[in-house]
Amino acid sequence: MQFGRVVGSVVSTQKEASLEGLKFLILEILSAKNEPTGSHVVAIDAVGAGVEETVLFATGSSARQTKATDKRPADAVIMAIIDSWDLGGEIVFRKGE
Amino acid sequence: MQFGRVVGSVVSTQKEASLEGLKFLILEILSAKNEPTGSHVVAIDAVGAGVEETVLFATGSSARQTKATDKRPADAVIMAIIDSWDLGGEIVFRKGE
Amino acid sequence: MQFGRVVGSVVSTQKEASLEGLKFLILEILSAKNEPTGSHVVAIDAVGAGVEETVLFATGSSARQTKATDKRPADAVIMAIIDSWDLGGEIVFRKGE
Amino acid sequence: MQFGRVVGSVVSTQKEASLEGLKFLILEILSAKNEPTGSHVVAIDAVGAGVEETVLFATGSSARQTKATDKRPADAVIMAIIDSWDLGGEIVFRKGE
Amino acid sequence: MQFGRVVGSVVSTQKEASLEGLKFLILEILSAKNEPTGSHVVAIDAVGAGVEETVLFATGSSARQTKATDKRPADAVIMAIIDSWDLGGEIVFRKGE
């Protein structure tokens, strides 16, 4: 899994039928030090993530192991909203701070 | 998923039988700011995308989760045509503009 | 999928039994402009590709979705021999030219 | 598989239900010479790894082939704690030294 | 698949139970010209490869399509020991030379 921050969303009317009703969010990928990497990925939201939220996302076939994404053509999913994380004994992110 | 723009197509007569009738499109991969990255991928079209269309594509085993690509040796699929997307509160792409 | 050109082959006597009889070809990966990238991959041939042939190859689990590669430890497969492709309205490759 | 060292952990209350009770650890990826690469990955712990432990992790669908991760949206798993490894005839890592 | 040379091995007592008895080898990844790339991967041995042996390895879910690795959390497997390979009409590697 990698760290990401919700920075946008995608609107699509004409898509594979199984994707109807799913939310496509744009994530900026974050380093483990909570710094933006400049890279982005579009992920399906499986946990009710909102704009500016900091999340974990999974890619590949593992992205289909949620109720939202099962058997769907989705290769990235937000599977957790992060409360906090620590690195080398220091808290580097805490939600709401 | 990643952003792409349809910039070409591939013709092949001699191919794995299960791929008969499918459309191989060349996508230029776009950044989240809607800038060409210079990288390309060949994807199967599952949604009727045309030349110059801006799309989302999925890769890996997820690329086989459409009616067009099920059980086929395809590792990238166009699964949505994009109407618009926003990034950091700004619309960066809107179809037809 | 990506573009490749057959530039060599690999001989192996001692291998996983299920791979008996399969052809391991070395592909130079090509850009969408039909330029060599300097990167290579070893792929199983599922379509009767020969030396110097220009092909499409698929990777990952999708590489196992051919008769030749089903249930085998192969992560790249040649699934189409290319007749031609166009990019931005120009033909950039045509077989036999 | 790749080498990693446990350097942190992630706390998440709001996540896909199937992930309840699993430990999300942050790994710094190590080179084969046991040098930090500066890259990190978040992996599920399947073997009781602790902080500063040196481990092997697997990614992709293989990350779901443990009791802890089966059918869960996890794309990286710690599947072994390393006792030692050698490279070119030299021991480059031994646990507890 | 990619080219690799066996340059080391990993010892682990505490690991996912299904991995008991498997050999974890460290491969240096080779270019198609038989040059070391400086990158390494840890792979399960499915073919009895020894130190300094030159091999092909497969990654991802394809790495589980051997008797040794079936249903195990392994994302890279040695599936062939190479006798020789040619590139552009020249032999670039022959075993025992």
Side-chain angles (χ1 to χ4, degrees):
Chain A
M1 281 71 64
Q2 288 180 273
F3 300 102
R5 187 156 293 133
V6 182
V7 292
S9 61
V10 182
V11 177
S12 165
T13 316
Q14 193 174 337
K15 61 192 165 205
E16 176 77 9
S18 65
L19 295 169
E20 205 57 57
L22 295 182
K23 219 167 30 164
F24 292 92
L25 297 180
I26 305 174
L27 301 181
E28 174 147 36
I29 302 178
L30 305 172
S31 75
K33 292 173 178 163
N34 191 19
E35 294 163 342
T37 62
S39 294
H40 297 77
V41 67
V42 178
I44 299 285
D45 178 26
V47 289
V51 172
E52 290 298 318
E53 203 114 43
T54 302
V55 301
L56 278 181
F57 68 98
T59 60
S61 61
S62 298
R64 298 197 308 274
Q65 310 294 315
T66 72
K67 282 185 200 171
T69 53
D70 186 35
K71 300 201 176 80
R72 286 167 174 84
D75 60 10
V77 71
I78 301 172
M79 19 62 76
I81 296 174
I82 300 178
D83 296 329
S84 67
W85 85 73
D86 65 277
L87 188 76
E90 309 277 322
I91 296 287
V92 297
F93 170 80
R94 199 186 306 267
K95 192 176 170 171
E97 285 188 1
Chain B
M1 280 72 63
Q2 287 179 274
F3 301 102
R5 188 156 292 132
V6 181
V7 293
S9 62
V10 182
V11 178
S12 165
T13 317
Q14 193 173 338
K15 61 192 165 206
E16 176 76 9
S18 65
L19 296 169
E20 205 57 56
L22 296 182
K23 218 167 31 164
F24 292 91
L25 297 180
I26 305 174
L27 301 181
E28 174 147 36
I29 302 178
L30 305 172
S31 75
K33 291 172 179 164
N34 191 17
E35 294 163 343
T37 61
S39 295
H40 297 78
V41 67
V42 178
I44 299 285
D45 177 27
V47 289
V51 171
E52 290 298 317
E53 203 113 44
T54 301
V55 300
L56 278 181
F57 68 97
T59 60
S61 61
S62 299
R64 297 197 308 273
Q65 310 294 315
T66 73
K67 281 185 201 172
T69 53
D70 186 34
K71 300 201 176 80
R72 285 166 175 83
D75 60 10
V77 72
I78 300 172
M79 19 62 75
I81 295 175
I82 300 178
D83 295 329
S84 67
W85 86 74
D86 65 277
L87 188 76
E90 308 277 322
I91 296 287
V92 296
F93 170 82
R94 198 186 305 268
K95 191 176 170 171
E97 284 188 0
Chain C
M1 280 72 63
Q2 288 179 275
F3 300 103
R5 188 155 293 135
V6 181
V7 293
S9 62
V10 182
V11 178
S12 165
T13 316
Q14 192 173 339
K15 61 192 166 206
E16 176 76 9
S18 66
L19 296 168
E20 205 57 55
L22 296 181
K23 220 167 29 165
F24 292 91
L25 297 180
I26 305 174
L27 301 180
E28 174 146 34
I29 302 177
L30 305 172
S31 75
K33 292 172 177 162
N34 191 18
E35 294 163 342
T37 62
S39 294
H40 297 78
V41 67
V42 178
I44 298 285
D45 177 28
V47 290
V51 171
E52 291 298 318
E53 203 115 45
T54 301
V55 300
L56 279 181
F57 69 96
T59 59
S61 61
S62 298
R64 297 198 308 273
Q65 309 294 315
T66 73
K67 282 184 200 172
T69 52
D70 186 33
K71 300 201 175 78
R72 285 167 174 84
D75 60 10
V77 73
I78 300 172
M79 19 61 77
I81 295 174
I82 300 177
D83 295 329
S84 66
W85 85 73
D86 65 276
L87 188 77
E90 308 276 322
I91 296 285
V92 297
F93 170 80
R94 198 186 307 266
K95 191 176 170 171
E97 285 187 359
Chain D
M1 282 72 63
Q2 288 180 274
F3 300 103
R5 187 156 294 132
V6 181
V7 292
S9 62
V10 182
V11 178
S12 166
T13 315
Q14 192 173 339
K15 61 193 164 204
E16 176 77 7
S18 66
L19 295 168
E20 204 57 55
L22 295 181
K23 219 166 32 164
F24 292 91
L25 297 180
I26 305 174
L27 300 181
E28 174 146 35
I29 302 177
L30 305 172
S31 75
K33 293 173 178 162
N34 191 20
E35 294 164 341
T37 62
S39 294
H40 297 78
V41 66
V42 178
I44 299 286
D45 178 27
V47 289
V51 172
E52 291 298 319
E53 203 114 44
T54 302
V55 300
L56 279 181
F57 68 97
T59 59
S61 61
S62 298
R64 297 197 308 273
Q65 309 294 314
T66 73
K67 282 184 200 171
T69 53
D70 186 36
K71 299 201 175 82
R72 286 167 174 84
D75 60 10
V77 72
I78 300 172
M79 19 62 77
I81 295 175
I82 300 178
D83 295 328
S84 67
W85 86 72
D86 65 277
L87 188 77
E90 309 275 323
I91 296 286
V92 297
F93 170 79
R94 198 186 306 268
K95 191 175 170 173
E97 286 188 359
Chain E
M1 280 72 62
Q2 287 179 275
F3 300 102
R5 187 156 294 131
V6 181
V7 292
S9 63
V10 181
V11 178
S12 165
T13 316
Q14 193 174 338
K15 61 192 166 205
E16 177 76 8
S18 66
L19 296 169
E20 204 58 54
L22 295 181
K23 219 166 31 164
F24 293 92
L25 296 180
I26 305 174
L27 301 180
E28 174 146 34
I29 301 177
L30 305 172
S31 75
K33 292 172 178 163
N34 191 19
E35 294 164 342
T37 62
S39 294
H40 297 78
V41 67
V42 178
I44 299 285
D45 178 28
V47 290
V51 172
E52 291 298 319
E53 203 114 45
T54 301
V55 301
L56 279 181
F57 68 96
T59 59
S61 61
S62 298
R64 296 198 308 273
Q65 310 294 314
T66 73
K67 282 184 200 172
T69 53
D70 187 34
K71 299 201 176 79
R72 285 165 174 84
D75 61 10
V77 72
I78 301 172
M79 20 61 78
I81 295 175
I82 300 178
D83 295 328
S84 67
W85 85 73
D86 65 276
L87 188 76
E90 308 276 323
I91 295 286
V92 297
F93 170 80
R94 198 186 307 267
K95 192 176 169 171
E97 286 188 358

